[in-house]
């Protein structure tokens, strides 16, 4: 009998092995350099209409859908799938995307890669029916080399399977029993879990045997001389290169050589023009591998020379205090869902400038790369946040470890992707992690907890440490939930807190809310002696609803609450920034607190029309600018 069972097991294992497909894991380094078109490198944007098929029974792999989809429909890429159809708003299960493309003849002999900008949440890729790679995490790109899998002189089939199943051991955690954000679908966070290929898919090349793999730029200045340190990592046998910095009519070129695969050069810039929101000046940096008359690879980027630091009460940009005025945002627009919408992005920057804002937080996940390029050019300061929203640490240790590993991966990927943007001044490792004490109040049915606050502190502490090791030139923070432990906040370079006095507590009662807010802020500062920033405060307002007296959901109440927070902040010299929640109304799951499946705390509506609060902020923030420039 035992022998029979063993034989069956062997047979099952062998069969599984025969059909098991091997998917590589993505490497953070491969997303460091955005695909670039220059004299040497090529790229092809695969945006457009793709084939699409839902797989609610999970039979696609067994039925080998990667060999060509049948009975499919059309879908736009980029764009979340949820609102492109009439029956898929809440669909988060498996779905398949397919497109076909020729590879240009001129790419022969090059290394060819695929880069997926965002596949939310878990993706697997096949090229011409062959398994390629997989990636977990929906808001960060991933890339794989595909050279060996391609065909020439005929089309190549690219198949991507995506699913967005909400699970407590994923990040952001979903479907958490008793979560305060109980909605349908069961996201345990307060925004809609838009699924699919939300950003562009690119093919791109690098030179075959020798190429630039990674570039890290750090800047500094001393009096009027700036310095740009460029660290280049290469692949292949080459020992030298050059760096050319240009800007303001100056051109400074210096040769450098490699030791192993790394080469560094520091370029000094006399009479440097520093980068800041008032003058977002960018220098061009061109890195060439090989000699000037025989270049092997090029990569060009832009950098701003600036420093960022903190003292006990302030954030210092280029050594001078800077006050952050702005918003927490979302990537969210009707029909597109979380899909990239360039005109909306341009409009958002226009509107942020119109209000007098100088900064924003990429709540609650990294945004499309273009946001960062735009912020570099327009002079916005970014708090760059990972997708770690709503973490908790008191379920089983396997789930905690799984979330820890994903958070670590996200941070590696995020820093790899965004480290060369002058606009990024802080890495935010998590938004509103829940301590057990709050979880017990808010959640029910959780296994009995064990030292959750210590576990939570160690978890967050490790993430902050990881960030500091990888990038000591920027600030590292996490954003604390109302009622969360002050001892966790001691980990953060800036005490970032979300506060909803007058909304979730003391609703409608602003005088009481005001007393609590002021007292709490003083206590936090006096305990921690670090600059404080309120990263979220606000009230829902239904555009067009008005009231004479304090009445929630009215535009007047939203203005009054925002004004109350700003007034108090102005009386505290340790407050270093105030970000209103939210820039625009955004889609959430359906729940009793979310009228029409929307969070209405935007100062603009979802289609970017100003509420009274937007006009109020414009007046208020421009007055501050005038006061500062007139020295009052
Ligand atoms: C928060 C969360 C944010 C929510 C917001 C709200 O604290 O960080 O994701 O949308 O509150 O409006 O409830």
């Amino acid at each position: 009998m035992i022998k029979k069972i063993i034989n069956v097991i062997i047979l099952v294992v062998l069969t599984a092995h025969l059909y098991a497909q091997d998917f590589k894991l993505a490497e953070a380094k491969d997303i460091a350099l955005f695909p670039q078109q220059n004299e040497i490198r090529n790229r092809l944007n695969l945006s457009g209409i793709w084939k699409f098929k839902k797989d609610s029974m999970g039979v696609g792999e067994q039925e080998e859908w990667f060999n060509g989809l049948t009975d499919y429909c059309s879908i736009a890429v980029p764009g979340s799938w949820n609102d492109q159809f009439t029956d898929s708003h809440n669909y988060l299960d498996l779905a398949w995307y397919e497109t076909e493309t020729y590879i240009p003849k001129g790419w022969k002999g090059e290394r060819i890669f695929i880069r997926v900008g965002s596949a939310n949440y878990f993706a697997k890729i096949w090229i011409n029916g062959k398994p390629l790679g997989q990636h977990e995490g929906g808001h960060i790109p991933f890339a794989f080399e595909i050279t060996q899998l391609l065909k020439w002189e005929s089309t190549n089939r690219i198949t991507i399977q995506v699913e967005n199943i909400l699970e407590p051991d994923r990040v952001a955690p979903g479907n958490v029993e008793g979560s305060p954000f109980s909605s349908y679908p069961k996201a345990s966070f307060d925004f809609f879990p838009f699924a699919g290929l939300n950003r562009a898919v690119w093919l791109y090349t690098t030179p075959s045997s020798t190429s630039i793999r990674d570039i890290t730029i750090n800047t500094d200045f001393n009096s009027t001389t700036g310095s740009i340190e460029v660290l280049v990592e290469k692949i292949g046998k080459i020992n030298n290169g050059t760096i050319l910095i240009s800007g303001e009519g100056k051109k400074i070129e210096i040769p450098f050589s490699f030791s192993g695969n790394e080469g560094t050069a520091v370029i000094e810039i006399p009479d440097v023009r520093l980068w800041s929101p008032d003058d977002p000046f960018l220098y061009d940096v061109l890195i060439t591998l090989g000699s000037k008359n025989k270049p092997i690879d090029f990569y060009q980027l832009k950098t701003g020379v600036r420093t960022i630091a903190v003292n006990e009460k302030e954030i210092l940009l280029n050594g001078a205090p800077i006050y952050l005025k702005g918003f927490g945002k979302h990537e969210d627009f009707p029909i597109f869902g979380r899909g990239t919408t360039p005109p909306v992005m341009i409009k958002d920057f226009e509107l942020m400038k119109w209000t007098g804002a100088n900064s924003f937080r990429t709540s609650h996940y990294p945004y499309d790369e273009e946001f960062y390029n735009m912020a570099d050019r327009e002079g916005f300061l970014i708090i760059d946040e990972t997708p770690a929203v709503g973490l908790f640490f008191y379920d089983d240790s396997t789930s905690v470890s799984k979330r820890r590993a994903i958070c670590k991966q996200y941070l590696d990927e995020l820093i790899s992707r965004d480290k060369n943007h002058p606009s990024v001044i802080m890495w935010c490792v998590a938004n509103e992690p829940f301590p057990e004490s709050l979880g017990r109040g808010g959640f029910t049915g959780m296994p009995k907890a064990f030292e959750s606050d210590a576990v939570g502190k160690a978890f967050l502490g490790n993430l902050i440490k990881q960030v500091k090791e990888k990038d000591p030139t920027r600030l590292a923070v996490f954003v604390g939930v109302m009622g969360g432990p002050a001892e966790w906040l001691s980990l953060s370079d800036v005490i970032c807190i979300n506060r909803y006095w007058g909304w979730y507590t003391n609703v409608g009662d602003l005088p009481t809310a005001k007393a609590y807010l002021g007292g709490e802020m003083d206590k936090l500062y006096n305990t921690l002696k670090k600059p404080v920033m309120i990263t979220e405060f606000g009230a829902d307002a239904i555009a067009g609803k008005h009231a004479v007296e304090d009445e929630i959901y009215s535009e007047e109440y939203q203005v009054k609450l925002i004004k109350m927070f700003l007034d108090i902040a102005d009386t505290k010299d340790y407050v270093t920034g105030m970000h209103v929640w939210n820039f625009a109304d955004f889609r959430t799951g359906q729940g009793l607190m979310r009228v029409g499946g929307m969070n209405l705390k935007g100062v603009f509506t979802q289609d970017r029309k100003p509420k009274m609060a937007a006009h109020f902020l414009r007046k208020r923030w421009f007055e501050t600018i005038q006061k500062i420039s007139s020295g009052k």
Side-chain angles (χ1 to χ4, degrees), residues 306-363:
R306 60 115 186 87
T307 59
I308 191 83
V310 272
N311 64 24
E312 198 187 291
K313 292 183 175 173
E314 295 153 321
I315 297 174
L316 304 172
L317 178 74
N318 301 331
I322 178 112
Y323 195 93
L324 304 193
K325 295 171 294 174
F327 303 94
K329 286 183 95 284
H330 266 295
E331 285 184 307
D332 173 281
F333 204 68
I335 302 173
F336 291 78
R338 195 138 293 123
T340 303
T341 47
V344 179
M345 180 193 74
I346 301 284
K347 178 88 176 183
D348 283 4
F349 275 91
E350 281 295 294
L351 292 175
M352 283 195 287
K353 280 192 276 176
W354 180 85
T355 61
N358 64 6
S359 53
F360 62 92
R361 177 166 61 116
T362 67
S363 38

Side-chain angles (χ1 to χ4, degrees), residues 190 364 431-432 498 500 504 536 581 586 594 599 601:
D190 188 33
H364 292 308
N431 177 72
E432 297 199 343
N498 295 344
Y500 285 98
Y504 292 118
E536 285 183 26
W581 189 255
F586 60 91
R594 295 291 173 254
N599 183 313
K601 293 193 186 68

